[in-house]
Amino acid sequence: MTLPATPRPGRENATPRPGHDPERLPGGRVPVAPARRRYLMCRPTYFAVEYTINPWMDPAAPVDAALAVRQWETLRRTYLELGHTVEEIEPLPGLPDMVFAANGATVVDGRALAVQFRDPERADEAPAYAAWLDRAGFEVSEAKHVNEGEGDILVVGDLLLAGTGFRTSQAAHGEVQELFGRPVITLRLVDPRFYHLDTALCVLDDRTVAYLPEAFSPGSRAVLRQLFPDAVLATAADAEVLGLNAVSDGRHVVLPAQATGLSAALRDRGYDTIGIDLSELRKAGGGPKCCTLVLREREADK
């Protein structure tokens, strides 16, 4: 796999640093080869900030819709250059937040849990995503409780980390565990700027995460310390540009270009970082992960 010669922000590690072995992570372990992923995305054809459902959104602030599309296209091309498959769902008029595909479902082992949005402004996105997943051959289950998909449900190895406090209800966590048959770890979010789990925590690989401790309740911070003693701890400055709203395939981490400190910390751990400018979509509280739903198939279907 060959990436374009044009340098991107966050690619400063093209030349190995003295004393640094890019093939090893701390402790001497060798990272697994990056997994080839299947992603679902939605072009921001109708993107706008027309209402306020999180602290990032200000309908009075100008939005450059054409720039939003170009930035999204850069993200999509990056995934393709990394060898991943990108599928697209048709955007629908009147649903300006449909670009945030991660909120469309949670997909694990060929099964999909549909979503039930907290806010009526996004309600019509749910059946659109459920219908696409059904046509794509996934076994779709209807949501009984409020849950906002991969915004709050993240897969780490055999575990599911489940956020609550602002959007997804804690009752949905039991529903997630019953459907997918994996242990669910409840994490309580306490800062409204980080209203979804994927704005406060990024899964780097099957054993490692990065997160902002201050975004979680004391009990949830203690749980994270026990589960992930080697986690990358983000700074508030990087979290405030949605640096943790990142997508990792186990080796490459695609994150907002403005999160320079987090990018450096990840490179020090042996990850290859790729900075993408999604400044327009950030005006609605979204970054790379928000735009990206992982389609996890059954092993036998791969």
Side-chain angles (χ1 to χ4, degrees), residues 70-214:
R70 293 196 299 274
Q71 292 178 342
W72 179 91
E73 280 284 6
T74 299
L75 178 63
R76 175 182 173 276
R77 286 197 307 272
T78 298
Y79 292 148
L80 295 174
E81 291 163 3
L82 291 172
H84 304 305
T85 298
V86 177
E87 301 193 40
E88 294 186 42
I89 183 174
E90 189 70 21
L92 298 177
L95 298 178
D97 283 342
M98 193 171 171
V99 60
F100 301 127
N103 303 144
T106 304
V107 184
V108 181
D109 300 328
R111 295 180 174 181
L113 176 62
V115 299
Q116 184 182 134
F117 285 100
R118 182 199 68 175
D119 299 295
E121 290 88 346
R122 299 195 66 182
D124 289 341
E125 297 175 39
Y129 276 98
W132 188 97
L133 290 163
D134 182 65
R135 291 193 300 271
F138 291 93
E139 180 184 331
V140 181
S141 296
E142 183 178 350
K144 298 181 178 65
H145 304 283
V146 173
N147 90 80
E148 300 202 351
E150 278 198 341
D152 275 322
I153 310 297
L154 299 177
V155 177
V156 188
D158 293 329
L159 295 178
L160 293 167
L161 304 182
T164 192
F166 297 105
R167 298 292 186 87
T168 296
S169 71
Q170 191 164 344
H173 296 183
E175 186 178 1
V176 168
Q177 182 165 278
E178 287 301 311
L179 178 63
F180 298 124
R182 297 191 184 200
V184 172
I185 306 298
T186 293
L187 299 171
R188 182 163 296 278
L189 299 163
V190 296
D191 187 328
R193 296 174 300 171
F194 309 115
Y195 56 95
H196 277 148
L197 182 60
D198 70 357
T199 64
L201 183 148
C202 170
V203 177
L204 298 171
D205 57 42
D206 285 349
R207 293 182 290 180
T208 314
V209 302
Y211 67 96
L212 176 70
E214 305 96 289

Side-chain angles (χ1 to χ4, degrees), residues 214-296:
E214 305 96 289
F216 296 91
S217 68
S220 295
R221 289 199 299 272
V223 168
L224 287 168
R225 285 195 298 270
Q226 292 180 55
L227 287 176
F228 308 106
D230 295 324
V232 176
L233 300 184
T235 65
D238 284 323
E240 287 165 1
V241 292
L242 292 179
L244 289 162
N245 195 248
V247 176
S248 173
D249 61 14
R251 174 68 66 85
H252 312 99
V253 183
V254 180
L255 75 168
Q258 295 80 7
T260 55
L262 179 59
S263 182
L266 293 172
R267 292 196 303 275
D268 285 342
R269 294 290 191 98
Y271 295 97
D272 185 7
T273 62
I274 303 172
I276 303 292
D277 183 8
L278 290 182
S279 55
E280 288 306 300
L281 295 174
R282 191 167 68 243
K283 294 176 180 178
K289 181 66 191 79
C290 285
C291 295
T292 312
L293 175 63
V294 184
L295 301 174
R296 301 178 182 85

